[in-house]
Amino acid sequence: KQWYQRRVAITAGKSAAKEKGKLKLHTEKAMFCVVLGESPQLNVNVKLTSPAFDPAITEDERREELVSKVLERIYCLKTMSDVNETGWYKMHIKPNTPAVIVLNILSSLRLEPECCLKNVSIQALQVLLFIAVKTFGHVKNVAPTLILRRLFEILAAGYVLTEKLMPPWHQAKVPAVDLLDKLDEEQKEEITEYAQFAVRCIALGNLHKVLQIPPPPSSPANTFPATPRPRTN
């Protein structure tokens, strides 16, 4: 009961301190009242509706009610991992506009039913993209085409066949899982072959074959005269 009163006072006191209001505790009703202003006066009643705070129930029933409402550890850890992943993305990928463009391209390729990248999770693509961007060092404003080519070069060298891709955002309390663990050997070989094909296409100026879009229009014919014009004074 004392712990509850102290937590309620701390929680409500932080919100009421800015308005310089008054705080009234009603522990018998499991509620507190925040009084703001003088004329007119605003009363805000915050009541904990959990049956565990019902004075009519016994101590055993209250303990059983509190235990039943506790979330399972596996779901808490998964939520923590998702939050860490979001923070890592905002710090390392989002500020880099070319990297975001490449990630959008890879996400679009994943939607193609015949593309082998559909078997790769978006989290794995983010980490692979981060590895490709790091190879440029401190160089800024790298063209998206160069980043995409470097990413395919890493995959073409057999990265998914020999390396484990661990999430860099995981914490000590959250067990790290290989982001490529769900891929079998055949799928990894398909990704490697596809990356080798992509590197050849990009090197030969056929990026449209990788992106699966129509080829760009051909450049206009050379309109310069065959012989140089005479100089005029």
Side-chain angles (χ1 to χ4, degrees):
K1 187 175 181 180
Q2 294 178 354
W3 177 87
Y4 164 72
Q5 293 177 350
R6 185 166 62 254
R7 292 302 302 174
V8 169
I10 293 175
T11 305
K14 289 181 180 180
S15 59
K18 297 181 180 180
E19 300 291 339
K20 297 182 179 180
K22 298 179 180 180
L23 179 65
K24 297 180 180 179
L25 298 178
H26 301 280
T27 55
E28 67 281 357
K29 297 182 180 180
M31 62 173 290
F32 60 89
C33 178
V34 181
V35 182
L36 300 176
E38 296 181 355
S39 180
Q41 189 178 79
L42 176 64
N43 296 332
V44 180
N45 295 325
V46 181
K47 185 175 181 180
L48 302 177
T49 57
S50 174
F53 294 96
D54 188 354
I57 66 176
T58 63
E59 188 66 26
D60 294 338
E61 294 175 341
R62 179 178 293 107
R63 187 180 298 106
E64 181 180 358
E65 175 68 23
L66 290 175
V67 172
S68 64
K69 298 299 182 182
V70 177
L71 296 177
E72 295 186 11
R73 177 179 174 83
I74 185 173
Y75 297 112
C76 296
L77 293 178
K78 185 180 183 304
T79 303
M80 184 186 303
S81 178
D82 294 340
V83 172
N84 295 335
E85 175 194 348
T86 303
W88 178 86
Y89 173 82
K90 291 182 178 180
M91 181 179 297
H92 296 92
I93 303 296
K94 189 175 181 180
N96 193 333
T97 303
V100 175
I101 295 175
V102 175
L103 184 60
N104 292 335
I105 293 174
L106 297 175
S107 300
S108 300
L109 292 176
R110 289 181 69 247
L111 301 178
E112 298 294 333
E114 299 180 355
C115 184
C116 59
L117 292 180
K118 65 182 180 181
N119 301 319
V120 184
S121 64
I122 190 65
Q123 292 82 4
L125 290 178
Q126 291 178 2
V127 179
L128 289 171
L129 180 61
F130 175 68
I131 295 174
V133 172
K134 283 204 315 181
T135 59
F136 292 97
H138 298 286
V139 180
K140 298 182 179 180
N141 299 324
V142 182
T145 308
L146 297 179
I147 298 178
L148 186 63
R149 176 173 179 173
R150 185 62 54 84
L151 174 61
F152 282 129
E153 288 175 349
I154 294 174
L155 295 176
Y159 186 92
V160 297
L161 294 173
T162 58
E163 302 291 339
K164 289 186 177 181
L165 192 64
M166 310 305 293
W169 55 80
H170 82 279
Q171 296 182 351
K173 297 182 179 180
V174 183
V177 180
D178 185 8
L179 297 177
L180 303 175
D181 189 39
K182 296 183 179 180
L183 299 176
D184 54 27
E185 292 299 325
E186 183 178 357
Q187 291 174 339
K188 292 180 180 180
E189 291 178 359
E190 290 180 355
I191 295 173
T192 304
E193 293 177 359
Y194 174 78
Q196 294 171 354
F197 165 77
V199 171
R200 289 194 298 268
C201 290
I202 297 176
L204 297 176
N206 296 324
L207 180 60
H208 62 278
K209 294 183 179 180
V210 181
L211 304 181
Q212 300 181 10
I213 58 176
S218 57
S219 58
N222 190 0
T223 57
F224 292 100
T227 57
R229 295 178 180 177
R231 293 184 178 180
T232 57
N233 295 328

